[in-house]
Amino acid sequence: MIPYNSCYQIDDPRFKTLIQKNACLHKVATGFEWTEGPVWFPAHQLLLFSDIPGERIMRLTPDGHVSTFRQPSNYANGHTRDTQGRLVSCQHGTRSVTRTEADGTVTVLADRYEGARLNSPNDVIVQSSGAVWFTDPTYGILSDYEGYAADPEQKARNVFRLDPDTGALEAMITDFVQPNGLAFSPDETILYVAESGSSHDPDVPSVIRAFQLDCDGRIVADSVFATIDQGLPDGMRVDAAGHVWSSAADGIHCFRPDGTRLGKILVPEVVSNLCFGGSRGNRLFITATTSVYKIAVNARSAI
Ligand code: MG
């Protein structure tokens, strides 16, 4: 009998249906300062990811070749695709959320709220309606390491929703210490947001919060979805069956929609973020400190 690879921690036998027991964790790129923001482009079969302090966005193609996509990147962090397949990015350096158009030009979607500069947009997702949701913690202005040191102009570290047609920006959640990764359930009725405030204050719980949305995108309920027991939650993704796959210090933690942790994919570097990709959408790409890893799973992206 083939044993499960040592890269798995199985907390609940149901996790075995979501992983490939003999799949290995592959290091597909390395040599970076702090990798983040992986995003897969099915139309091009390529992965983009940030090296935030290195001030560059990298491109990984299926042949394993890694090249520079954009440098300088304005200290880009999280990325996603919008409904038209365009790259949407958070940039610490410009304290903005941008969209890269098909012709390569870059459009600023948001850089101010109520007349003041944003803190440093961190991670971003796009709803099927086209609405852009992003988090705005202060990591990119705390020092010159991954942005430009500055005093915050915002009163809070918000989760924002942007209407890309009108440019209207609305603070939807205002009570985070440091909101970070975010993801929707497959039916978009639940928004998951990572609280990563323990990075600078050990009294802040390392939790993923779940927000119930009504059909207008208004938040009608708020609960703690899960606690991360190693390090803190940063980026996360939800698969087509609604499982939440979150970053943590020791790897990827996988949760059922009811919050039960099923298990972990153990990664030898601190994980910042992940995304599904590959030609059939069933590979996990994991950004972890200096490297990017890939592993086959029995799950695929909700979108
Ligand atoms: Mg992040």
Side-chain angles (χ1 to χ4, degrees):
M1 180 173 163
I2 302 170
Y4 279 85
N5 274 333
S6 58
C7 66
Y8 298 117
Q9 173 181 314
I10 296 167
D11 301 317
D12 182 308
R14 289 173 288 189
F15 191 41
K16 295 177 180 178
T17 66
L18 298 177
I19 56 177
Q20 299 284 356
K21 67 190 305 184
N22 53 353
C24 296
L25 192 65
H26 295 277
K27 186 185 286 187
V28 293
T30 193
F32 306 100
E33 293 189 64
W34 180 258
T35 57
E36 246 287 10
V39 56
W40 178 259
F41 288 86
H44 305 282
Q45 291 291 297
L46 62 81
L47 182 84
L48 297 183
F49 61 95
S50 297
D51 176 9
I52 307 176
E55 236 212 310
R56 52 189 174 163
I57 302 172
M58 307 303 296
R59 173 200 296 117
L60 173 69
T61 46
D63 60 2
H65 185 67
V66 180
S67 57
T68 302
F69 172 77
R70 180 180 298 164
Q71 187 174 33
S73 64
N74 290 313
Y75 297 99
N77 187 338
H79 305 282
T80 195
R81 299 185 313 267
D82 73 3
T83 54
Q84 296 181 40
R86 296 172 294 192
L87 174 67
V88 177
S89 304
C90 294
Q91 299 182 175
H92 290 177
T94 52
R95 297 163 69 170
S96 67
V97 177
T98 65
R99 181 178 64 215
T100 300
E101 311 296 347
D103 64 3
T105 58
V106 176
T107 302
V108 176
L109 299 180
D111 62 358
R112 286 181 178 267
Y113 175 65
E114 295 184 333
R117 295 187 76 187
L118 298 174
N119 295 318
S120 53
N122 186 291
D123 215 342
V124 59
I125 51 176
V126 174
Q127 257 180 310
S128 56
S129 65
V132 179
W133 293 68
F134 65 94
T135 55
D136 188 38
T138 56
Y139 293 117
I141 55 173
L142 291 176
S143 74
D144 288 328
Y145 178 58
E146 50 177 320
Y148 301 99
D151 292 327
E153 297 180 20
Q154 296 294 325
K155 291 188 287 288
R157 294 89 184 258
N158 295 323
V159 179
F160 287 106
R161 183 180 66 178
L162 173 79
D163 181 330
D165 297 325
T166 66
L169 186 61
E170 193 169 357
M172 305 299 289
I173 308 169
T174 60
D175 64 347
F176 270 84
V177 179
Q178 295 280 28
N180 205 315
L182 68 179
F184 279 108
S185 62
D187 63 4
E188 299 186 351
T189 60
I190 300 170
L191 173 68
Y192 299 100
V193 184
E195 169 61 87
S196 65
S198 65
S199 61
H200 292 73
D201 181 351
D203 292 333
V204 178
S206 292
V207 294
I208 297 169
R209 293 168 64 185
F211 298 88
Q212 187 103 34
L213 305 180
D214 67 14
C215 53
D216 295 323
R218 301 277 146 201
I219 289 159
V220 292
D222 169 9
S223 62
V224 172
F225 170 72
T227 298
I228 297 296
D229 66 354
Q230 295 291 324
L232 51 82
D234 192 338
M236 72 180 101
R237 303 286 177 177
V238 175
D239 69 25
H243 302 101
V244 177
W245 303 71
S246 174
S247 55
D250 59 346
I252 303 292
H253 297 193
C254 179
F255 299 91
R256 278 173 51 80
D258 67 5
T260 305
R261 195 180 73 204
L262 297 176
K264 302 180 178 182
I265 299 171
L266 301 171
V267 179
E269 298 183 75
V270 172
V271 173
S272 64
N273 212 331
L274 65 149
C275 73
F276 291 92
S279 60
R280 300 176 65 190
N282 58 358
R283 297 293 187 275
L284 267 188
F285 289 93
I286 302 165
T287 50
T289 312
T290 65
S291 306
V292 177
Y293 296 84
K294 181 175 80 167
I295 190 166
V297 290
N298 270 336
R300 61 188 76 231
S301 174
I303 304 170

